[in-house]
Coordinates of all heavy atoms in Angstrom, one line a residue:
Q14 N 31.8 63.4 -31.5 CA 31.2 64.4 -32.4 C 31.1 63.9 -33.8 O 30.2 64.2 -34.5 CB 32.0 65.7 -32.4 CG 31.4 66.8 -33.1 CD 30.0 67.2 -32.6 OE1 29.8 67.3 -31.4 NE2 29.1 67.4 -33.5
Q15 N 32.1 63.0 -34.2 CA 32.0 62.5 -35.6 C 30.7 61.7 -35.8 O 30.1 61.7 -36.9 CB 33.2 61.6 -35.9 CG 34.5 62.4 -36.0 CD 35.7 61.6 -36.1 OE1 35.7 60.4 -35.7 NE2 36.8 62.1 -36.6
I16 N 30.4 60.9 -34.8 CA 29.1 60.1 -34.9 C 27.9 61.0 -35.1 O 27.1 60.7 -35.9 CB 29.0 59.1 -33.7 CG1 30.1 58.1 -33.7 CG2 27.6 58.5 -33.7 CD1 30.2 57.3 -32.5
K17 N 27.8 62.0 -34.3 CA 26.7 62.9 -34.4 C 26.7 63.6 -35.8 O 25.6 63.9 -36.3 CB 26.7 64.0 -33.3 CG 26.3 63.4 -31.9 CD 26.3 64.5 -30.9 CE 25.8 64.0 -29.6 NZ 25.7 65.0 -28.6
N18 N 27.9 63.9 -36.3 CA 27.9 64.5 -37.6 C 27.3 63.6 -38.7 O 26.7 64.1 -39.7 CB 29.4 64.9 -38.0 CG 29.9 66.1 -37.2 OD1 29.1 66.8 -36.6 ND2 31.2 66.2 -37.2
I19 N 27.5 62.3 -38.5 CA 27.0 61.3 -39.5 C 25.6 61.0 -39.2 O 24.8 60.9 -40.2 CB 27.9 60.1 -39.5 CG1 29.3 60.4 -40.0 CG2 27.3 59.0 -40.4 CD1 30.4 59.4 -39.7
L20 N 25.3 60.6 -38.0 CA 23.9 60.1 -37.7 C 23.0 61.1 -37.0 O 21.8 60.8 -36.9 CB 24.1 58.9 -36.7 CG 24.9 57.7 -37.2 CD1 25.0 56.7 -36.1 CD2 24.2 57.1 -38.4
G21 N 23.5 62.2 -36.6 CA 22.6 63.1 -35.9 C 22.6 62.8 -34.4 O 23.3 61.9 -33.9
D22 N 21.7 63.4 -33.7 CA 21.5 63.2 -32.3 C 20.7 61.9 -32.1 O 19.8 61.6 -32.9 CB 20.8 64.3 -31.6 CG 21.7 65.5 -31.4 OD1 22.9 65.4 -31.2 OD2 21.1 66.6 -31.5
P23 N 21.1 61.0 -31.1 CA 20.3 59.8 -30.9 C 18.9 60.2 -30.3 O 18.8 61.3 -29.7 CB 21.1 59.1 -29.8 CG 22.0 60.1 -29.2 CD 22.2 61.2 -30.2
Y24 N 17.9 59.3 -30.5 CA 16.6 59.6 -30.0 C 16.6 59.3 -28.5 O 15.7 59.8 -27.8 CB 15.5 58.9 -30.7 CG 15.3 57.4 -30.4 CD1 14.5 57.0 -29.3 CD2 16.0 56.4 -31.1 CE1 14.4 55.7 -29.0 CE2 15.8 55.1 -30.8 CZ 15.0 54.7 -29.7 OH 14.9 53.4 -29.4
E25 N 17.6 58.6 -28.0 CA 17.6 58.3 -26.6 C 19.1 58.1 -26.2 O 19.9 57.5 -26.9 CB 16.8 57.0 -26.2 CG 16.9 56.7 -24.8 CD 16.1 55.4 -24.5 OE1 16.1 54.4 -25.3 OE2 15.5 55.3 -23.4
K26 N 19.4 58.6 -25.0 CA 20.7 58.3 -24.4 C 20.4 57.8 -23.0 O 19.6 58.3 -22.3 CB 21.6 59.5 -24.2 CG 22.2 60.0 -25.5 CD 23.2 61.2 -25.1 CE 23.8 61.8 -26.4 NZ 24.7 62.9 -26.0
K27 N 21.2 56.7 -22.6 CA 21.0 56.2 -21.2 C 22.3 55.6 -20.7 O 23.2 55.3 -21.5 CB 19.8 55.2 -21.1 CG 20.0 53.9 -21.9 CD 18.8 53.0 -21.8 CE 19.0 51.7 -22.5 NZ 17.9 50.8 -22.4
I28 N 22.4 55.5 -19.4 CA 23.5 54.9 -18.8 C 23.1 53.6 -18.2 O 22.0 53.5 -17.5 CB 24.1 55.8 -17.6 CG1 24.5 57.2 -18.2 CG2 25.2 55.1 -16.9 CD1 25.6 57.2 -19.1
V29 N 23.8 52.5 -18.5 CA 23.5 51.2 -17.9 C 24.8 50.7 -17.3 O 25.9 51.0 -17.7 CB 23.0 50.2 -18.9 CG1 21.6 50.7 -19.5 CG2 24.0 49.9 -20.0
K30 N 24.7 49.8 -16.3 CA 25.8 49.2 -15.6 C 25.7 47.7 -16.0 O 24.7 47.1 -15.8 CB 25.8 49.4 -14.1 CG 27.1 49.0 -13.5 CD 27.1 49.4 -12.0 CE 28.3 50.2 -11.7 NZ 28.4 50.6 -10.3
K31 N 26.8 47.2 -16.6 CA 26.8 45.8 -17.1 C 26.7 44.9 -15.9 O 27.5 45.0 -14.9 CB 28.0 45.6 -17.9 CG 28.0 44.4 -18.9 CD 28.2 43.1 -18.2 CE 28.3 41.9 -19.2 NZ 28.9 40.7 -18.6
S32 N 25.8 43.9 -15.9 CA 25.7 42.9 -14.8 C 25.8 41.6 -15.5 O 25.9 41.4 -16.7 CB 24.4 43.1 -14.1 OG 23.3 42.6 -15.0
G33 N 25.9 40.6 -14.6 CA 26.0 39.2 -15.1 C 24.8 38.6 -15.7 O 24.8 37.4 -16.1
K34 N 23.7 39.4 -15.7 CA 22.4 38.8 -16.3 C 22.6 38.6 -17.8 O 23.2 39.3 -18.5 CB 21.3 39.9 -16.1 CG 20.9 40.1 -14.6 CD 19.8 41.1 -14.6 CE 19.6 41.7 -13.2 NZ 18.6 42.8 -13.2
P35 N 21.9 37.5 -18.2 CA 22.0 37.2 -19.7 C 21.3 38.3 -20.5 O 20.4 38.9 -20.0 CB 21.3 35.9 -19.8 CG 20.6 35.6 -18.6 CD 21.2 36.5 -17.5
I36 N 21.7 38.5 -21.7 CA 21.0 39.4 -22.6 C 20.7 38.7 -23.9 O 21.5 37.9 -24.3 CB 21.9 40.7 -22.8 CG1 21.2 41.8 -23.5 CG2 23.2 40.3 -23.5 CD1 21.9 43.1 -23.4
W37 N 19.6 39.1 -24.6 CA 19.3 38.6 -25.8 C 19.2 39.7 -26.9 O 18.8 40.8 -26.6 CB 17.9 37.8 -25.8 CG 18.0 36.6 -24.9 CD1 18.4 35.4 -25.3 CD2 17.8 36.5 -23.5 NE1 18.4 34.5 -24.2 CE2 18.0 35.2 -23.1 CE3 17.4 37.4 -22.5 CZ2 17.9 34.8 -21.8 CZ3 17.3 37.0 -21.2 CH2 17.5 35.7 -20.9
G38 N 19.6 39.4 -28.0 CA 19.7 40.4 -29.1 C 21.0 40.5 -29.7 O 21.9 39.7 -29.4
P39 N 21.3 41.5 -30.5 CA 22.5 41.6 -31.2 C 23.7 41.8 -30.2 O 24.8 41.5 -30.6 CB 22.4 42.8 -32.2 CG 21.2 43.6 -31.6 CD 20.3 42.6 -30.9
E40 N 23.4 42.3 -29.0 CA 24.5 42.5 -28.0 C 25.1 41.2 -27.6 O 26.2 41.2 -27.0 CB 23.9 43.3 -26.8 CG 23.6 44.7 -27.1 CD 22.2 44.9 -27.7 OE1 21.5 43.9 -27.9 OE2 21.9 46.1 -27.9
E41 N 24.4 40.1 -27.8 CA 25.0 38.8 -27.4 C 26.4 38.5 -27.9 O 27.2 37.9 -27.3 CB 24.1 37.6 -27.9 CG 22.8 37.5 -27.2 CD 21.9 36.4 -27.8 OE1 22.3 35.2 -27.5 OE2 21.0 36.7 -28.5
E42 N 26.7 39.1 -29.1 CA 27.9 38.9 -29.7 C 29.1 39.4 -28.9 O 30.2 38.8 -29.0 CB 27.9 39.6 -31.1 CG 29.1 39.5 -31.9 CD 28.9 40.2 -33.3 OE1 27.8 40.1 -33.9 OE2 29.9 40.8 -33.7
F43 N 28.9 40.5 -28.1 CA 30.0 41.0 -27.4 C 29.8 41.2 -25.9 O 30.7 41.4 -25.1 CB 30.4 42.4 -27.9 CG 29.3 43.4 -27.9 CD1 28.9 44.1 -26.7 CD2 28.5 43.7 -29.0 CE1 27.9 45.0 -26.7 CE2 27.5 44.6 -29.0 CZ 27.2 45.3 -27.8
W44 N 28.6 40.9 -25.4 CA 28.2 41.2 -24.0 C 29.1 40.5 -23.0 O 29.5 41.1 -22.0 CB 26.7 40.8 -23.8 CG 26.1 41.5 -22.6 CD1 25.8 40.9 -21.4 CD2 25.8 42.9 -22.5 NE1 25.2 41.8 -20.6 CE2 25.3 43.1 -21.2 CE3 26.0 44.0 -23.3 CZ2 24.9 44.3 -20.7 CZ3 25.6 45.2 -22.8 CH2 25.0 45.4 -21.5
D45 N 29.5 39.2 -23.3 CA 30.3 38.5 -22.3 C 31.8 39.1 -22.3 O 32.5 38.7 -21.3 CB 30.4 37.0 -22.7 CG 29.1 36.3 -22.4 OD1 28.3 36.8 -21.5 OD2 28.8 35.3 -23.0
K46 N 32.2 39.8 -23.2 CA 33.5 40.4 -23.2 C 33.6 41.7 -22.3 O 34.7 42.1 -22.0 CB 33.9 40.8 -24.7 CG 34.0 39.7 -25.6 CD 34.3 40.2 -27.0 CE 34.2 39.0 -28.0 NZ 34.2 39.5 -29.4
I47 N 32.5 42.2 -21.9 CA 32.4 43.4 -21.1 C 32.5 43.0 -19.6 O 31.7 42.2 -19.2 CB 31.2 44.2 -21.3 CG1 31.1 44.6 -22.8 CG2 31.1 45.5 -20.5 CD1 29.7 45.2 -23.2
P48 N 33.4 43.5 -18.9 CA 33.5 43.1 -17.4 C 32.3 43.6 -16.7 O 31.7 44.7 -16.9 CB 34.8 43.8 -16.9 CG 35.5 44.2 -18.1 CD 34.6 44.4 -19.2
D49 N 31.8 42.8 -15.7 CA 30.7 43.2 -14.9 C 31.0 44.5 -14.2 O 32.2 44.7 -13.8 CB 30.3 42.1 -13.9 CG 29.5 41.0 -14.5 OD1 29.1 41.1 -15.6 OD2 29.4 40.0 -13.8
G50 N 30.1 45.4 -14.0 CA 30.3 46.6 -13.3 C 30.7 47.8 -14.3 O 30.7 48.9 -13.8
T51 N 31.0 47.5 -15.5 CA 31.3 48.5 -16.5 C 30.2 49.4 -16.7 O 29.0 49.0 -16.9 CB 31.8 47.9 -17.8 OG1 32.9 47.1 -17.6 CG2 32.1 49.0 -18.8
K52 N 30.4 50.7 -16.6 CA 29.3 51.7 -16.9 C 29.3 52.0 -18.4 O 30.4 52.3 -19.0 CB 29.6 53.0 -16.2 CG 28.5 54.0 -16.3 CD 28.7 55.3 -15.5 CE 29.6 56.2 -16.3 NZ 29.7 57.5 -15.6
L53 N 28.2 51.8 -19.0 CA 28.0 52.0 -20.5 C 27.1 53.1 -20.8 O 25.9 53.2 -20.2 CB 27.5 50.7 -21.1 CG 28.4 49.5 -21.0 CD1 27.6 48.2 -21.2 CD2 29.6 49.6 -21.9
E54 N 27.5 54.1 -21.6 CA 26.6 55.1 -22.1 C 26.0 54.5 -23.4 O 26.8 54.2 -24.3 CB 27.2 56.4 -22.3 CG 26.3 57.5 -22.8 CD 26.9 58.9 -22.9 OE1 28.0 59.1 -22.4 OE2 26.3 59.7 -23.5
V55 N 24.7 54.4 -23.6 CA 24.1 53.9 -24.8 C 23.4 55.0 -25.5 O 22.6 55.7 -25.0 CB 23.1 52.8 -24.4 CG1 22.5 52.1 -25.6 CG2 23.7 51.7 -23.5
W56 N 23.8 55.1 -26.8 CA 23.1 56.0 -27.7 C 22.2 55.1 -28.6 O 22.7 54.2 -29.3 CB 24.0 56.8 -28.6 CG 24.9 57.8 -27.8 CD1 25.0 57.9 -26.5 CD2 25.8 58.7 -28.4 NE1 25.9 58.9 -26.2 CE2 26.4 59.4 -27.4 CE3 26.1 59.0 -29.7 CZ2 27.3 60.4 -27.6 CZ3 27.0 60.0 -30.0 CH2 27.6 60.7 -28.9
R57 N 20.9 55.4 -28.7 CA 20.0 54.7 -29.5 C 19.5 55.5 -30.7 O 19.1 56.6 -30.6 CB 18.8 54.2 -28.6 CG 19.3 53.4 -27.4 CD 18.2 52.9 -26.6 NE 17.6 51.8 -27.4 CZ 16.4 51.3 -27.2 NH1 15.6 51.8 -26.3 NH2 15.9 50.3 -27.9
Y58 N 19.5 54.8 -31.8 CA 19.0 55.3 -33.1 C 18.0 54.4 -33.7 O 18.1 53.2 -33.5 CB 20.2 55.5 -34.1 CG 21.2 56.6 -33.7 CD1 22.3 56.3 -32.9 CD2 21.1 57.9 -34.1 CE1 23.2 57.2 -32.6 CE2 22.0 58.9 -33.8 CZ 23.1 58.5 -33.0 OH 24.0 59.5 -32.7
K59 N 17.1 54.9 -34.4 CA 16.1 54.1 -35.1 C 15.8 54.7 -36.5 O 15.8 55.9 -36.6 CB 14.8 54.2 -34.3 CG 13.7 53.2 -34.7 CD 12.4 53.4 -33.9 CE 12.6 53.0 -32.5 NZ 11.3 53.0 -31.7
N60 N 15.7 53.8 -37.4 CA 15.3 54.2 -38.8 C 14.4 53.1 -39.4 O 14.1 52.2 -38.8 CB 16.5 54.6 -39.6 CG 17.4 53.5 -40.0 OD1 17.0 52.3 -40.0 ND2 18.7 53.8 -40.2
D61 N 14.1 53.3 -40.7 CA 13.3 52.3 -41.4 C 13.9 50.9 -41.4 O 13.2 49.9 -41.6 CB 12.9 52.8 -42.8 CG 12.0 54.0 -42.8 OD1 11.4 54.3 -41.7 OD2 12.0 54.7 -43.8
S62 N 15.2 50.8 -41.3 CA 15.9 49.5 -41.4 C 15.9 48.7 -40.1 O 16.0 47.5 -40.1 CB 17.3 49.7 -41.9 OG 17.3 50.3 -43.2
G63 N 15.9 49.5 -39.0 CA 16.0 48.8 -37.7 C 16.5 49.7 -36.6 O 16.3 51.0 -36.7
N64 N 17.1 49.1 -35.6 CA 17.5 49.9 -34.4 C 19.1 49.7 -34.2 O 19.6 48.6 -34.3 CB 16.9 49.4 -33.1 CG 15.4 49.6 -33.2 OD1 14.9 50.7 -33.4 ND2 14.6 48.5 -33.0
L65 N 19.7 50.8 -34.0 CA 21.2 50.8 -33.8 C 21.5 51.3 -32.4 O 21.0 52.4 -32.0 CB 21.9 51.7 -34.8 CG 23.4 51.9 -34.6 CD1 24.1 50.6 -34.8 CD2 23.9 53.0 -35.6
N66 N 22.2 50.5 -31.6 CA 22.7 51.0 -30.3 C 24.2 51.1 -30.3 O 24.9 50.2 -30.8 CB 22.3 49.9 -29.2 CG 20.8 49.9 -28.9 OD1 20.1 50.8 -29.3 ND2 20.4 48.8 -28.3
L67 N 24.7 52.2 -29.8 CA 26.1 52.5 -29.8 C 26.5 52.6 -28.3 O 25.8 53.2 -27.5 CB 26.5 53.8 -30.4 CG 26.1 53.9 -31.9 CD1 26.5 55.3 -32.4 CD2 26.7 52.8 -32.7
Y68 N 27.6 51.9 -27.9 CA 28.0 51.8 -26.5 C 29.4 52.4 -26.3 O 30.3 52.1 -27.0 CB 28.1 50.3 -26.1 CG 26.8 49.6 -26.1 CD1 26.3 49.0 -27.3 CD2 26.1 49.4 -25.0 CE1 25.0 48.4 -27.3 CE2 24.8 48.8 -25.0 CZ 24.3 48.3 -26.1 OH 23.1 47.7 -26.1
F69 N 29.4 53.3 -25.3 CA 30.7 53.9 -24.9 C 30.9 53.5 -23.5 O 30.1 53.6 -22.6 CB 30.5 55.5 -25.0 CG 30.2 56.0 -26.4 CD1 28.9 56.0 -26.8 CD2 31.2 56.4 -27.2 CE1 28.5 56.5 -28.1 CE2 30.9 56.8 -28.5 CZ 29.5 56.9 -28.9
A70 N 32.1 52.9 -23.2 CA 32.4 52.3 -21.9 C 33.2 53.3 -21.0 O 34.2 53.9 -21.5 CB 33.2 51.0 -22.1
D71 N 32.8 53.3 -19.8 CA 33.5 54.0 -18.7 C 33.9 55.4 -19.1 O 35.1 55.8 -19.0 CB 34.7 53.2 -18.3 CG 34.3 51.9 -17.5 OD1 33.3 51.9 -16.8 OD2 35.0 50.9 -17.7
D72 N 33.0 56.2 -19.5 CA 33.2 57.6 -19.8 C 34.3 57.9 -20.9 O 34.9 58.9 -21.0 CB 33.6 58.4 -18.6 CG 32.5 58.4 -17.5 OD1 31.3 58.5 -17.9 OD2 32.8 58.3 -16.3
N73 N 34.5 56.9 -21.8 CA 35.4 57.0 -22.9 C 34.7 57.7 -24.0 O 33.6 57.3 -24.3 CB 36.0 55.7 -23.2 CG 37.2 55.7 -24.1 OD1 37.3 56.6 -25.0 ND2 38.1 54.8 -23.9
N74 N 35.4 58.5 -24.8 CA 34.8 59.2 -25.9 C 34.8 58.3 -27.2 O 34.4 58.8 -28.2 CB 35.5 60.5 -26.2 CG 35.1 61.6 -25.2 OD1 34.0 61.5 -24.6 ND2 36.0 62.5 -25.0
H75 N 35.4 57.2 -27.1 CA 35.5 56.3 -28.3 C 34.5 55.2 -28.3 O 34.2 54.6 -27.2 CB 36.9 55.7 -28.4 CG 38.0 56.7 -28.6 ND1 38.6 57.3 -27.6 CD2 38.5 57.2 -29.7 CE1 39.5 58.2 -28.1 NE2 39.5 58.1 -29.4
L76 N 33.9 55.0 -29.4 CA 32.9 53.9 -29.5 C 33.5 52.6 -29.2 O 34.5 52.2 -29.7 CB 32.4 53.9 -31.0 CG 31.3 52.8 -31.3 CD1 30.0 53.1 -30.5 CD2 31.0 52.8 -32.8
A77 N 32.9 51.8 -28.2 CA 33.4 50.6 -27.8 C 32.7 49.4 -28.5 O 33.3 48.4 -28.9 CB 33.3 50.4 -26.3
Y78 N 31.4 49.5 -28.6 CA 30.6 48.4 -29.2 C 29.4 49.0 -29.9 O 28.9 50.1 -29.6 CB 30.0 47.5 -28.1 CG 31.1 46.9 -27.2 CD1 31.4 47.5 -26.0 CD2 31.8 45.8 -27.6 CE1 32.3 47.0 -25.1 CE2 32.8 45.3 -26.8 CZ 33.1 45.9 -25.5 OH 34.0 45.4 -24.7
K79 N 28.9 48.2 -30.9 CA 27.7 48.6 -31.6 C 26.8 47.4 -31.9 O 27.4 46.3 -32.0 CB 28.0 49.4 -32.9 CG 28.8 48.5 -33.9 CD 29.1 49.4 -35.1 CE 30.0 48.5 -36.1 NZ 30.4 49.3 -37.2
A80 N 25.5 47.6 -31.9 CA 24.6 46.5 -32.1 C 23.5 47.0 -33.0 O 22.9 48.0 -32.7 CB 24.1 46.0 -30.8
F81 N 23.2 46.2 -34.0 CA 22.1 46.6 -34.9 C 21.1 45.4 -35.0 O 21.5 44.3 -35.2 CB 22.6 46.9 -36.3 CG 21.6 47.3 -37.3 CD1 21.0 48.6 -37.3 CD2 21.1 46.4 -38.2 CE1 20.0 48.9 -38.1 CE2 20.0 46.7 -39.1 CZ 19.5 48.0 -39.0
A82 N 19.9 45.8 -34.8 CA 18.8 44.8 -35.0 C 17.9 45.2 -36.1 O 17.3 46.3 -36.1 CB 17.9 44.7 -33.7
S83 N 17.8 44.4 -37.1 CA 17.0 44.7 -38.3 C 15.5 44.8 -37.9 O 15.1 44.0 -37.0 CB 17.2 43.6 -39.4 OG 18.5 43.6 -39.9
K84 N 14.8 45.6 -38.6 CA 13.4 45.8 -38.3 C 12.6 44.5 -38.5 O 12.9 43.8 -39.5 CB 12.8 46.9 -39.2 CG 11.4 47.3 -38.9 CD 10.9 48.4 -39.7 CE 9.6 48.9 -39.3 NZ 9.2 50.1 -40.0
G85 N 11.8 44.1 -37.5 CA 11.0 42.9 -37.6 C 11.7 41.7 -37.0 O 11.0 40.7 -36.8
V86 N 13.0 41.8 -36.7 CA 13.6 40.6 -36.0 C 13.2 40.6 -34.6 O 13.3 41.6 -33.9 CB 15.2 40.7 -36.2 CG1 15.9 39.7 -35.4 CG2 15.6 40.7 -37.6
V87 N 12.9 39.4 -34.1 CA 12.5 39.2 -32.7 C 13.5 38.3 -32.0 O 13.8 37.2 -32.5 CB 11.1 38.6 -32.6 CG1 10.7 38.3 -31.1 CG2 10.0 39.5 -33.3
Y88 N 14.0 38.7 -30.9 CA 14.9 37.9 -30.1 C 14.2 37.3 -28.9 O 13.5 38.0 -28.2 CB 16.1 38.8 -29.6 CG 17.0 39.3 -30.7 CD1 16.8 40.5 -31.3 CD2 18.0 38.5 -31.2 CE1 17.5 41.0 -32.3 CE2 18.8 38.9 -32.3 CZ 18.6 40.2 -32.8 OH 19.4 40.6 -33.9
E89 N 14.4 36.0 -28.7 CA 13.7 35.4 -27.6 C 14.8 34.7 -26.7 O 15.8 34.3 -27.2 CB 12.8 34.3 -28.1 CG 11.6 34.8 -28.9 CD 10.7 33.7 -29.3 OE1 10.5 32.8 -28.5 OE2 10.1 33.8 -30.4
S90 N 14.5 34.6 -25.4 CA 15.4 33.8 -24.6 C 15.2 32.3 -24.8 O 14.1 31.9 -25.1 CB 15.1 34.2 -23.1 OG 13.8 33.8 -22.7
A91 N 16.3 31.6 -24.6 CA 16.2 30.1 -24.8 C 15.8 29.6 -23.4 O 16.6 29.5 -22.5 CB 17.6 29.6 -25.2
Q92 N 14.6 29.1 -23.3 CA 14.1 28.5 -22.0 C 13.6 27.2 -22.2 O 13.0 26.8 -23.2 CB 13.1 29.4 -21.4 CG 13.6 30.8 -21.0 CD 12.6 31.6 -20.3 OE1 11.4 31.2 -20.1 NE2 12.9 32.8 -20.0

């Protein structure tokens, strides 16, 4: 509730299950620390500065991870 008091409601909420697939973007910083199979609730926010994703793990009410991508930044896979 504290997060909603500060940021308001997210524009999107979704549930994802962490898999071993590689990920590109600000999540790269912590993605390998999350065990495969972990259920993550993702709250997405967007403003003029960029995109913020908040991750809550395994039905926990505490924020586990956050990732911010500045507006205009493009992430590419290394191939």
Side-chain angles (χ1 to χ4, degrees):
Q14 187 59 44
Q15 291 174 339
I16 292 170
K17 286 185 178 181
N18 289 343
I19 295 168
L20 298 175
D22 288 324
Y24 78 87
E25 179 182 37
K26 283 185 183 181
K27 64 182 181 177
I28 302 292
V29 298
K30 194 171 231 184
K31 201 280 189 165
S32 70
K34 295 181 194 175
I36 191 166
W37 292 273
E40 290 85 357
E41 288 178 74
E42 184 177 318
F43 59 80
W44 201 249
D45 288 339
K46 297 175 187 173
I47 302 171
D49 283 349
T51 300
K52 184 176 88 172
L53 298 162
E54 182 174 348
V55 185
W56 293 9
R57 300 185 75 200
Y58 291 89
K59 186 185 294 188
N60 65 26
D61 292 341
S62 299
N64 298 305
L65 173 65
N66 291 343
L67 303 179
Y68 294 85
F69 301 86
D71 292 326
D72 297 320
N73 193 323
N74 288 334
H75 294 89
L76 180 64
Y78 304 97
K79 61 183 175 183
F81 180 77
S83 295
K84 190 173 185 173
V86 173
V87 178
Y88 293 93
E89 295 183 34
S90 64
Q92 294 183 3

